Amino acid sequence: MRRVVHCILAPCSFCIVTGWLFFDFAPIALLFLPYVPYDIFRRLRKQREAKRWQLALAFRDMLLYLQNGLAAGRSPEGSMEETAKGLEHLYGAKSNIVSECRLMLSQMSNGYSMERAFEEFGERSKVNEIRQFAEVFLVAKRTGGEIGRVIRQTCNVLQDKLELKRELRTAVAAKEMEFHIMCFIPHGILLYLRLCAPSMSAPLYGNTFGAVFMSGVFLGWFALSALGNHLVRSCISV
């Protein structure tokens, strides 16, 4: 509930402050109302992407547990049971990866094949790494390949891929922080002028030139901010 309230109040407050700083008229924030659902959607999308990233990291550990179980001579079902127990100690009983393991075990006990359970796991999670593994696992089962070797090779490839993604996300996160700070610099400058040097900011308000000039500044700031957010999201989703 607190997260929902924050997602709603943050863009509304931002619109009111922006309307006052750029146009000296807080009620003009009503014109920015379409930005509120966009910002809420952006925040929720970012949270979903973060959850998918955490699930991809947990899936790597899941494959390691599964590989060890198969190497010890256990059946796929037995290996999956041991995997669920290991992940429960590592991530907690209420984590997404443990819930998915328990669901897969339930499906397998009801007659699902292991490859079908992985396939549905990939569709539910919408994580590319899980989908790709499900496809490789399905082909290996149909062609009679050695499951333990397939999982081991997949773990190695997945480890390298996730490590590259981690490095990329770390680099992008630093630049993203710099970008957000730069986005608020115009607001900080205007706030400083309004509070500390009102005589300097007075010509920007209450006249035609000021309205046109500040509208141009606002549109330029908004366009560059939208472009920056798009570029950051594109880098993270690679």
Side-chain angles (χ1 to χ4, degrees):
M1 183 63 182
R2 182 182 301 176
R3 182 178 298 177
V4 175
V5 172
H6 174 73
C7 287
I8 295 175
L9 289 182
C12 291
S13 303
F14 178 75
C15 289
I16 293 173
V17 172
T18 300
W20 177 67
L21 289 177
F22 280 86
F23 304 102
D24 195 30
F25 187 60
I28 203 172
L30 294 175
L31 298 178
F32 305 152
L33 283 180
Y35 171 78
V36 176
Y38 164 77
D39 187 73
I40 295 174
F41 173 77
R42 182 179 62 84
R43 290 172 183 268
L44 294 177
R45 181 179 59 194
K46 191 173 183 179
Q47 292 175 6
R48 289 194 298 268
E49 291 175 350
K51 288 181 178 180
R52 284 198 290 267
W53 170 245
Q54 294 300 324
L55 187 58
L57 295 177
F59 179 70
R60 176 194 56 187
D61 296 328
M62 175 184 173
L63 290 185
L64 291 174
Y65 278 111
L66 189 61
Q67 173 191 339
N68 293 334
L70 292 174
R74 296 189 182 93
S75 65
E77 293 78 5
S79 299
M80 185 63 70
E81 181 67 35
E82 291 299 318
T83 297
K85 292 179 181 178
L87 292 174
E88 186 172 340
H89 287 295
L90 188 61
Y91 291 100
K94 296 183 179 180
S95 60
N96 290 336
I97 190 65
V98 173
S99 299
E100 291 292 346
C101 283
R102 295 298 182 189
L103 178 57
M104 291 176 65
L105 282 170
S106 176
Q107 291 175 331
M108 292 165 66
S109 64
N110 290 328
Y112 273 48
S113 62
M114 196 172 182
E115 56 268 27
R116 183 181 175 188
F118 269 113
E119 184 179 6
E120 292 195 1
F121 178 24
E123 293 301 323
R124 287 192 304 272
S125 65
K126 295 181 174 58
V127 176
N128 291 331
E129 288 77 11
I130 301 177
R131 287 174 172 172
Q132 292 167 2
F133 172 79
E135 294 174 0
V136 173
F137 189 75
L138 177 62
V139 172
K141 289 283 286 185
R142 287 181 177 178
T143 57
E146 184 182 346
I147 302 303
R149 182 174 60 84
V150 170
I151 293 179
R152 183 170 61 254
Q153 292 177 348
T154 304
C155 281
N156 295 333
V157 174
L158 187 61
Q159 177 78 21
D160 294 339
K161 184 176 181 180
L162 290 178
E163 190 61 32
L164 287 174
K165 276 192 172 184
R166 189 200 300 273
E167 293 177 2
L168 176 61
R169 291 174 70 93
T170 301
V172 172
K175 297 300 180 182
E176 184 180 12
M177 179 62 67
E178 295 176 6
F179 165 72
H180 287 312
I181 293 175
M182 292 178 64
C183 284
F184 283 101
I185 286 179
H187 291 73
I189 293 174
L190 289 174
L191 181 62
Y192 174 80
L193 291 175
R194 295 293 304 268
L195 297 180
C196 301
S199 59
M200 294 181 62
S201 62
L204 299 176
Y205 307 105
N207 56 78
T208 303
F209 169 77
V212 173
F213 177 78
M214 294 302 289
S215 297
V217 171
F218 171 76
L219 291 176
W221 167 83
F222 184 80
L224 292 175
S225 298
L227 177 61
N229 281 318
H230 174 73
L231 293 176
V232 168
R233 181 171 176 269
S234 299
C235 292
I236 293 179
S237 61
V238 170

mmCIF file of all heavy atoms in Angstrom, residues 9 11 13-14 20 23 48 79 96 98 104 112 116 132 135 138-139 177-178 187 198 210 216:
data_model
loop_
_atom_site.group_PDB
_atom_site.id
_atom_site.type_symbol
_atom_site.label_atom_id
_atom_site.label_comp_id
_atom_site.label_asym_id
_atom_site.label_seq_id
_atom_site.Cartn_x
_atom_site.Cartn_y
_atom_site.Cartn_z
ATOM 1 N N LEU A 9 1.700 9.764 -5.417
ATOM 2 C CA LEU A 9 2.023 11.094 -4.888
ATOM 3 C C LEU A 9 3.269 11.687 -5.531
ATOM 4 O O LEU A 9 3.331 12.901 -5.747
ATOM 5 C CB LEU A 9 2.212 11.017 -3.367
ATOM 6 C CG LEU A 9 0.953 10.780 -2.530
ATOM 7 C CD1 LEU A 9 1.296 10.784 -1.052
ATOM 8 C CD2 LEU A 9 -0.107 11.840 -2.826
ATOM 9 N N PRO A 11 4.616 11.523 -8.723
ATOM 10 C CA PRO A 11 4.420 12.283 -9.976
ATOM 11 C C PRO A 11 3.486 13.468 -9.815
ATOM 12 O O PRO A 11 3.677 14.494 -10.471
ATOM 13 C CB PRO A 11 3.846 11.239 -10.939
ATOM 14 C CG PRO A 11 3.254 10.186 -10.082
ATOM 15 C CD PRO A 11 4.119 10.141 -8.855
ATOM 16 N N SER A 13 3.153 15.408 -7.101
ATOM 17 C CA SER A 13 3.945 16.479 -6.480
ATOM 18 C C SER A 13 4.926 17.076 -7.477
ATOM 19 O O SER A 13 5.123 18.298 -7.521
ATOM 20 C CB SER A 13 4.702 15.924 -5.269
ATOM 21 O OG SER A 13 3.812 15.358 -4.332
ATOM 22 N N PHE A 14 5.518 16.215 -8.280
ATOM 23 C CA PHE A 14 6.471 16.701 -9.285
ATOM 24 C C PHE A 14 5.790 17.630 -10.283
ATOM 25 O O PHE A 14 6.356 18.659 -10.671
ATOM 26 C CB PHE A 14 7.095 15.501 -10.003
ATOM 27 C CG PHE A 14 8.061 15.879 -11.082
ATOM 28 C CD1 PHE A 14 9.326 16.343 -10.768
ATOM 29 C CD2 PHE A 14 7.696 15.773 -12.415
ATOM 30 C CE1 PHE A 14 10.221 16.702 -11.768
ATOM 31 C CE2 PHE A 14 8.592 16.123 -13.414
ATOM 32 C CZ PHE A 14 9.848 16.587 -13.091
ATOM 33 N N TRP A 20 4.763 25.332 -10.945
ATOM 34 C CA TRP A 20 5.088 26.564 -10.225
ATOM 35 C C TRP A 20 6.442 27.128 -10.660
ATOM 36 O O TRP A 20 6.593 28.334 -10.850
ATOM 37 C CB TRP A 20 5.093 26.285 -8.722
ATOM 38 C CG TRP A 20 5.488 27.478 -7.909
ATOM 39 C CD1 TRP A 20 4.796 28.651 -7.763
ATOM 40 C CD2 TRP A 20 6.691 27.620 -7.142
ATOM 41 N NE1 TRP A 20 5.473 29.516 -6.944
ATOM 42 C CE2 TRP A 20 6.648 28.906 -6.543
ATOM 43 C CE3 TRP A 20 7.778 26.798 -6.879
ATOM 44 C CZ2 TRP A 20 7.668 29.375 -5.715
ATOM 45 C CZ3 TRP A 20 8.786 27.252 -6.059
ATOM 46 C CH2 TRP A 20 8.729 28.535 -5.491
ATOM 47 N N PHE A 23 6.172 28.026 -14.740
ATOM 48 C CA PHE A 23 5.113 28.920 -15.220
ATOM 49 C C PHE A 23 4.517 29.801 -14.132
ATOM 50 O O PHE A 23 3.564 30.538 -14.399
ATOM 51 C CB PHE A 23 4.000 28.091 -15.880
ATOM 52 C CG PHE A 23 4.490 27.217 -17.004
ATOM 53 C CD1 PHE A 23 4.691 25.853 -16.801
ATOM 54 C CD2 PHE A 23 4.788 27.745 -18.249
ATOM 55 C CE1 PHE A 23 5.151 25.037 -17.832
ATOM 56 C CE2 PHE A 23 5.252 26.945 -19.275
ATOM 57 C CZ PHE A 23 5.438 25.588 -19.072
ATOM 58 N N ARG A 48 9.006 -4.522 -12.295
ATOM 59 C CA ARG A 48 8.877 -5.844 -12.920
ATOM 60 C C ARG A 48 10.211 -6.291 -13.535
ATOM 61 O O ARG A 48 10.585 -7.463 -13.444
ATOM 62 C CB ARG A 48 7.786 -5.822 -13.992
ATOM 63 C CG ARG A 48 6.381 -5.723 -13.441
ATOM 64 C CD ARG A 48 5.363 -6.052 -14.520
ATOM 65 N NE ARG A 48 5.432 -5.122 -15.631
ATOM 66 C CZ ARG A 48 4.709 -4.026 -15.728
ATOM 67 N NH1 ARG A 48 3.858 -3.699 -14.765
ATOM 68 N NH2 ARG A 48 4.808 -3.229 -16.775
ATOM 69 N N SER A 79 15.916 -34.658 -7.860
ATOM 70 C CA SER A 79 16.832 -33.520 -7.968
ATOM 71 C C SER A 79 16.092 -32.206 -7.800
ATOM 72 O O SER A 79 16.590 -31.272 -7.160
ATOM 73 C CB SER A 79 17.545 -33.559 -9.325
ATOM 74 O OG SER A 79 18.301 -34.742 -9.471
ATOM 75 N N ASN A 96 10.221 -16.043 -5.071
ATOM 76 C CA ASN A 96 9.609 -16.446 -6.334
ATOM 77 C C ASN A 96 10.196 -17.745 -6.867
ATOM 78 O O ASN A 96 9.474 -18.610 -7.365
ATOM 79 C CB ASN A 96 9.784 -15.336 -7.380
ATOM 80 C CG ASN A 96 8.941 -14.124 -7.078
ATOM 81 O OD1 ASN A 96 7.933 -14.231 -6.385
ATOM 82 N ND2 ASN A 96 9.337 -12.972 -7.572
ATOM 83 N N VAL A 98 11.553 -20.273 -5.269
ATOM 84 C CA VAL A 98 11.096 -21.443 -4.508
ATOM 85 C C VAL A 98 9.646 -21.764 -4.858
ATOM 86 O O VAL A 98 9.283 -22.934 -5.020
ATOM 87 C CB VAL A 98 11.261 -21.195 -2.997
ATOM 88 C CG1 VAL A 98 10.641 -22.338 -2.190
ATOM 89 C CG2 VAL A 98 12.734 -21.050 -2.639
ATOM 90 N N MET A 104 6.499 -26.472 -10.110
ATOM 91 C CA MET A 104 6.992 -27.450 -11.065
ATOM 92 C C MET A 104 6.932 -28.867 -10.491
ATOM 93 O O MET A 104 6.571 -29.821 -11.190
ATOM 94 C CB MET A 104 8.426 -27.102 -11.477
ATOM 95 C CG MET A 104 8.536 -25.844 -12.314
ATOM 96 S SD MET A 104 10.259 -25.403 -12.684
ATOM 97 C CE MET A 104 10.760 -26.791 -13.690
ATOM 98 N N TYR A 112 3.015 -34.080 -15.563
ATOM 99 C CA TYR A 112 3.757 -33.230 -16.483
ATOM 100 C C TYR A 112 5.175 -33.790 -16.667
ATOM 101 O O TYR A 112 5.780 -34.298 -15.719
ATOM 102 C CB TYR A 112 3.871 -31.812 -15.926
ATOM 103 C CG TYR A 112 2.712 -30.906 -16.264
ATOM 104 C CD1 TYR A 112 1.405 -31.327 -16.078
ATOM 105 C CD2 TYR A 112 2.927 -29.620 -16.734
ATOM 106 C CE1 TYR A 112 0.343 -30.495 -16.360
ATOM 107 C CE2 TYR A 112 1.868 -28.772 -17.014
ATOM 108 C CZ TYR A 112 0.576 -29.219 -16.821
ATOM 109 O OH TYR A 112 -0.464 -28.399 -17.112
ATOM 110 N N ARG A 116 8.167 -29.941 -20.071
ATOM 111 C CA ARG A 116 6.952 -29.127 -20.160
ATOM 112 C C ARG A 116 6.856 -28.182 -18.966
ATOM 113 O O ARG A 116 6.426 -27.027 -19.112
ATOM 114 C CB ARG A 116 5.721 -30.021 -20.228
ATOM 115 C CG ARG A 116 4.422 -29.247 -20.402
ATOM 116 C CD ARG A 116 3.220 -30.154 -20.450
ATOM 117 N NE ARG A 116 1.974 -29.395 -20.509
ATOM 118 C CZ ARG A 116 0.768 -29.926 -20.412
ATOM 119 N NH1 ARG A 116 0.628 -31.254 -20.278
ATOM 120 N NH2 ARG A 116 -0.320 -29.164 -20.461
ATOM 121 N N GLN A 132 15.082 -19.792 -22.978
ATOM 122 C CA GLN A 132 16.116 -20.423 -23.800
ATOM 123 C C GLN A 132 16.525 -21.776 -23.233
ATOM 124 O O GLN A 132 16.727 -22.738 -23.977
ATOM 125 C CB GLN A 132 17.323 -19.486 -23.900
ATOM 126 C CG GLN A 132 17.045 -18.219 -24.690
ATOM 127 C CD GLN A 132 18.122 -17.172 -24.522
ATOM 128 O OE1 GLN A 132 19.125 -17.392 -23.836
ATOM 129 N NE2 GLN A 132 17.936 -16.011 -25.145
ATOM 130 N N GLU A 135 13.892 -24.380 -24.082
ATOM 131 C CA GLU A 135 13.987 -24.852 -25.467
ATOM 132 C C GLU A 135 15.131 -25.846 -25.639
ATOM 133 O O GLU A 135 14.964 -26.894 -26.270
ATOM 134 C CB GLU A 135 14.182 -23.650 -26.403
ATOM 135 C CG GLU A 135 12.982 -22.704 -26.452
ATOM 136 C CD GLU A 135 13.268 -21.464 -27.280
ATOM 137 O OE1 GLU A 135 14.411 -21.357 -27.799
ATOM 138 O OE2 GLU A 135 12.362 -20.613 -27.409
ATOM 139 N N LEU A 138 14.227 -29.124 -23.937
ATOM 140 C CA LEU A 138 13.242 -29.880 -24.717
ATOM 141 C C LEU A 138 13.901 -30.614 -25.873
ATOM 142 O O LEU A 138 13.626 -31.796 -26.112
ATOM 143 C CB LEU A 138 12.161 -28.925 -25.235
ATOM 144 C CG LEU A 138 11.080 -29.535 -26.143
ATOM 145 C CD1 LEU A 138 10.294 -30.599 -25.391
ATOM 146 C CD2 LEU A 138 10.141 -28.448 -26.653
ATOM 147 N N VAL A 139 14.793 -29.934 -26.579
ATOM 148 C CA VAL A 139 15.497 -30.575 -27.697
ATOM 149 C C VAL A 139 16.370 -31.720 -27.193
ATOM 150 O O VAL A 139 16.423 -32.800 -27.807
ATOM 151 C CB VAL A 139 16.351 -29.534 -28.449
ATOM 152 C CG1 VAL A 139 17.234 -30.209 -29.491
ATOM 153 C CG2 VAL A 139 15.456 -28.490 -29.117
ATOM 154 N N MET A 177 22.172 7.346 -12.509
ATOM 155 C CA MET A 177 22.137 8.264 -11.374
ATOM 156 C C MET A 177 22.587 9.664 -11.799
ATOM 157 O O MET A 177 21.970 10.676 -11.422
ATOM 158 C CB MET A 177 23.029 7.726 -10.249
ATOM 159 C CG MET A 177 23.089 8.618 -9.027
ATOM 160 S SD MET A 177 21.471 8.830 -8.233
ATOM 161 C CE MET A 177 21.201 7.146 -7.647
ATOM 162 N N GLU A 178 23.646 9.732 -12.586
ATOM 163 C CA GLU A 178 24.110 11.024 -13.081
ATOM 164 C C GLU A 178 23.033 11.690 -13.945
ATOM 165 O O GLU A 178 22.818 12.910 -13.867
ATOM 166 C CB GLU A 178 25.384 10.837 -13.900
ATOM 167 C CG GLU A 178 26.578 10.336 -13.093
ATOM 168 C CD GLU A 178 27.784 10.082 -13.960
ATOM 169 O OE1 GLU A 178 27.719 10.408 -15.172
ATOM 170 O OE2 GLU A 178 28.800 9.563 -13.454
ATOM 171 N N HIS A 187 15.376 22.414 -12.339
ATOM 172 C CA HIS A 187 14.480 22.718 -11.222
ATOM 173 C C HIS A 187 15.246 23.383 -10.084
ATOM 174 O O HIS A 187 14.756 24.339 -9.461
ATOM 175 C CB HIS A 187 13.811 21.435 -10.723
ATOM 176 C CG HIS A 187 12.829 20.851 -11.682
ATOM 177 N ND1 HIS A 187 13.223 20.215 -12.837
ATOM 178 C CD2 HIS A 187 11.465 20.806 -11.653
ATOM 179 C CE1 HIS A 187 12.143 19.795 -13.488
ATOM 180 N NE2 HIS A 187 11.074 20.136 -12.803
ATOM 181 N N PRO A 198 14.823 36.780 -6.577
ATOM 182 C CA PRO A 198 13.531 36.957 -7.260
ATOM 183 C C PRO A 198 13.549 38.044 -8.325
ATOM 184 O O PRO A 198 12.800 37.968 -9.309
ATOM 185 C CB PRO A 198 12.571 37.314 -6.117
ATOM 186 C CG PRO A 198 13.446 37.808 -5.009
ATOM 187 C CD PRO A 198 14.733 37.057 -5.138
ATOM 188 N N GLY A 210 8.255 35.819 -21.442
ATOM 189 C CA GLY A 210 8.592 34.849 -20.405
ATOM 190 C C GLY A 210 7.829 33.550 -20.572
ATOM 191 O O GLY A 210 8.388 32.464 -20.409
ATOM 192 N N GLY A 216 9.370 26.934 -24.040
ATOM 193 C CA GLY A 216 10.408 26.288 -24.839
ATOM 194 C C GLY A 216 11.406 25.529 -23.981
ATOM 195 O O GLY A 216 11.829 24.410 -24.319
#
